[in-house]
Amino acid sequence: MSDIHGDFETFDYALNYVRDSKADVLTINGDLSGSVLSGEYNKKFIDNSEKLRQVFGQIYNLSGGRINTFNGVSKILLSGELGEIPKELKISAENYLETEKIVRERMLQNYEEFKKKFDGLEQKVILVPGNWDGKCIDEKLSLRNIHNKQKEEVNGIGFIGYGSSNALPYELPQDLIVSFDEDEAFKHLSSFGDVDVAMTHDSPRGFEGNGNPYGKFGLRSYLFEKQPSLFLYGHAHKLTIMQEKGIVIANPGNLGRYKRDSYGTFLEIDIDENSNVTPIAKHMVNGTSINSEKF
């Protein structure tokens, strides 16, 4: 699964399917959380961020690059070290810091809810965060999160992962989001030998699946140099299965009903003890029913 975006209703239907299945592992390729701010609060946050952005470069230069986050800019504006600042800018800084606290708290509530649901599963859950997920994800889900960590093995099948993306959502405080470094991603994934399953949130360049050429060359380089048996990714919100040089490359699409979508999708894939990968079925959660189509 991928890109749930906090849609617990659709997630619960899909989770019931997993619970009743013979699956050993549930993989999630990021964006468990989503936009945790309401419409009006969201607009207010974006307006405040834009005002801070107008002075960001100046403060960055004055500090010699030491202050390089919106959090840092807000705090220096309120510290008095820069002298008197316009009242409007002061209010924006205060609002930004308050919004950070609210967003972090709501993200943690989401991750706690996911933790409760995962704890009730017999299946092993393995995940990487997405570009809508907060750094606080490990406070609740560290045992399941393999982002930039060690290899996880289930029944002899090895999983490695590197999540997030540099396409950070403007609707959330960017300082809270799990960061993405393309060179680090390539280095981390490539540090392992033969691996059965590689998991990322962003897509390898050329495999985006939705026609938008924003995939990462570093992930593409890893894919062809190390050739895992199965490469799973998300982010593009487009259910896609491809095969290249014997590698199955798959995106389960977005499970959460994101913006205009009225349904969610997920994939069922088999990988045997010899690392042979066989796509089994694609599933669509549509209302209260799950429509399945075998490959």
Side-chain angles (χ1 to χ4, degrees):
M1 303 176 182
S2 189
D3 295 77
I4 300 163
H5 288 285
D7 185 352
F8 285 107
E9 183 179 358
T10 299
F11 179 66
D12 281 344
Y13 287 119
L15 202 63
N16 285 335
Y17 181 93
V18 174
R19 185 178 289 110
D20 295 337
S21 75
K22 296 180 180 179
D24 298 304
V25 181
L26 168 61
T27 61
I28 300 178
N29 285 76
D31 283 355
L32 286 79
S33 191
S35 181
V36 294
L37 297 175
S38 63
E40 189 58 36
Y41 211 126
N42 208 339
K43 183 181 183 303
K44 181 180 177 182
F45 167 72
I46 293 171
D47 290 344
N48 289 325
S49 298
E50 186 55 39
K51 290 183 175 67
L52 294 176
R53 189 173 283 108
Q54 293 172 12
V55 298
F56 190 102
Q58 183 181 0
I59 293 175
Y60 176 87
N61 291 331
L62 283 173
S63 69
R66 179 177 58 86
I67 299 175
N68 54 15
T69 66
F70 282 99
N71 180 283
V73 167
S74 298
K75 287 179 177 177
I76 195 71
L77 287 172
L78 297 174
S79 70
E81 292 182 36
L82 301 180
E84 192 68 27
I85 63 171
K87 181 179 179 181
E88 186 180 52
L89 193 56
K90 180 180 179 181
I91 292 173
S92 292
E94 291 172 341
N95 287 341
Y96 183 89
L97 293 176
E98 180 62 26
T99 302
E100 271 198 341
K101 293 179 183 178
I102 292 170
V103 168
R104 187 178 186 280
E105 179 181 322
R106 292 180 181 177
M107 282 181 167
L108 283 172
Q109 290 172 352
N110 274 348
Y111 298 140
E112 176 64 26
E113 185 67 20
F114 277 113
K115 181 180 182 302
K116 291 177 182 177
K117 294 177 185 298
F118 295 156
D119 287 347
L121 273 185
E122 291 184 6
Q123 287 83 1
K124 175 80 173 180
V125 177
I126 299 176
L127 63 87
V128 293
N131 59 313
W132 284 79
D133 284 314
K135 297 173 183 176
C136 60
I137 190 170
D138 263 352
E139 293 184 35
K140 302 294 183 180
L141 298 171
S142 62
L143 296 179
R144 296 176 170 88
N145 179 16
I146 63 169
H147 166 66
N148 209 16
K149 297 179 183 178
Q150 73 287 343
K151 179 170 68 174
E152 187 78 34
E153 286 202 7
V154 181
N155 299 338
I157 303 296
F159 296 78
I160 59 172
Y162 194 98
S164 198
S165 166
N166 53 12
L168 299 180
Y170 64 87
E171 302 172 49
L172 294 175
Q174 297 186 3
D175 304 335
L176 298 183
I177 303 299
V178 175
S179 60
F180 178 88
D181 184 296
E182 189 170 350
D183 292 335
E184 183 183 69
F186 173 79
K187 183 178 180 181
H188 172 70
L189 295 171
S190 299
S191 68
F192 298 90
D194 292 338
V195 172
D196 302 294
V197 184
M199 296 173 57
T200 64
H201 180 65
D202 214 333
S203 58
R205 188 60 169 244
F207 295 91
E208 295 86 351
N210 60 1
N212 296 323
Y214 56 70
K216 300 299 181 288
F217 284 109
L219 299 181
R220 179 186 178 91
S221 296
Y222 161 74
L223 180 68
F224 288 127
E225 285 186 24
K226 295 299 182 178
Q227 298 189 11
S229 301
L230 174 62
F231 190 103
L232 296 172
Y233 67 100
H235 191 49
H237 289 207
K238 178 71 173 178
L239 190 150
T240 308
I241 291 189
M242 294 170 273
Q243 189 159 348
E244 189 82 19
K245 295 185 177 180
I247 310 164
V248 174
I249 305 153
N251 181 347
N254 53 299
L255 183 61
R257 295 165 295 184
Y258 186 78
K259 295 186 176 179
R260 292 184 298 274
D261 295 323
S262 60
Y263 60 87
T265 61
F266 62 105
L267 281 173
E268 189 172 349
I269 298 175
D270 181 72
I271 180 167
D272 67 19
E273 64 274 10
N274 297 315
S275 302
N276 297 312
V277 178
T278 305
I280 301 299
K282 54 184 177 181
H283 306 289
M284 178 183 292
V285 183
N286 196 351
T288 60
S289 64
I290 294 181
N291 303 322
S292 302
E293 182 179 333
K294 291 187 178 297
F295 291 105

